[in-house]
Amino acid sequence: MPAAGEHVWRWFKELDRARAGTGFGINPIAWQEIDAWARCRKVDPSQWEIDALISLDSLRMELFYAAKGKDNADEPQVSERPLTSRLFDALFPKKRK
């Protein structure tokens, strides 16, 4: 990392730690999160710094999902466990009226 961009790397690491995710993976860092982070830190990132954060985020997402795909390459896409009525009821309970 060039010395001129070290602060952007630190900013990205802070934003990355606070990243939202789902059970299926990570979400991109939202514009609202960058704005909220900048206000809390009392910084006013320039356009190139914001572009750098977005680029780092895109690369982070790409690497995460590439690694996730490799980890799951040998796993079956469908459960090997048979779907019994008991399991179905556990997964989809009746809605109460």
Side-chain angles (χ1 to χ4, degrees), residues 2 6-7 9 11 14 17-18 28 30 42 45 47-48 52 54-55 61 63-65 68 72 76 81 84:
E6 286 181 11
H7 67 287
W9 179 244
W11 293 354
E14 284 186 28
R17 279 194 303 268
K42 295 179 176 39
Q47 188 60 51
W48 78 265
I54 299 301
S55 293
M61 298 281 296
L63 292 172
F64 175 84
Y65 284 108
K68 186 174 180 181
N72 296 336
R81 184 175 180 182
T84 63

Side-chain angles (χ1 to χ4, degrees), residues 17-88:
R17 279 194 303 268
R19 177 190 302 274
T22 65
F24 301 105
I26 59 175
N27 291 335
I29 297 172
W31 289 101
Q32 297 89 339
E33 294 299 321
I34 295 171
D35 180 55
W37 170 85
R39 283 186 281 114
C40 286
R41 289 292 186 191
K42 295 179 176 39
V43 296
D44 186 19
S46 65
Q47 188 60 51
W48 78 265
E49 292 167 325
I50 293 172
D51 291 343
L53 289 170
I54 299 301
S55 293
L56 287 167
D57 186 46
S58 295
L59 182 59
R60 170 76 165 96
M61 298 281 296
E62 189 178 311
L63 292 172
F64 175 84
Y65 284 108
K68 186 174 180 181
K70 288 179 188 173
D71 291 344
N72 296 336
D74 297 332
E75 295 180 17
Q77 294 296 315
V78 179
S79 173
E80 293 180 13
R81 184 175 180 182
L83 182 61
T84 63
S85 59
R86 188 171 171 195
L87 178 58
F88 183 87

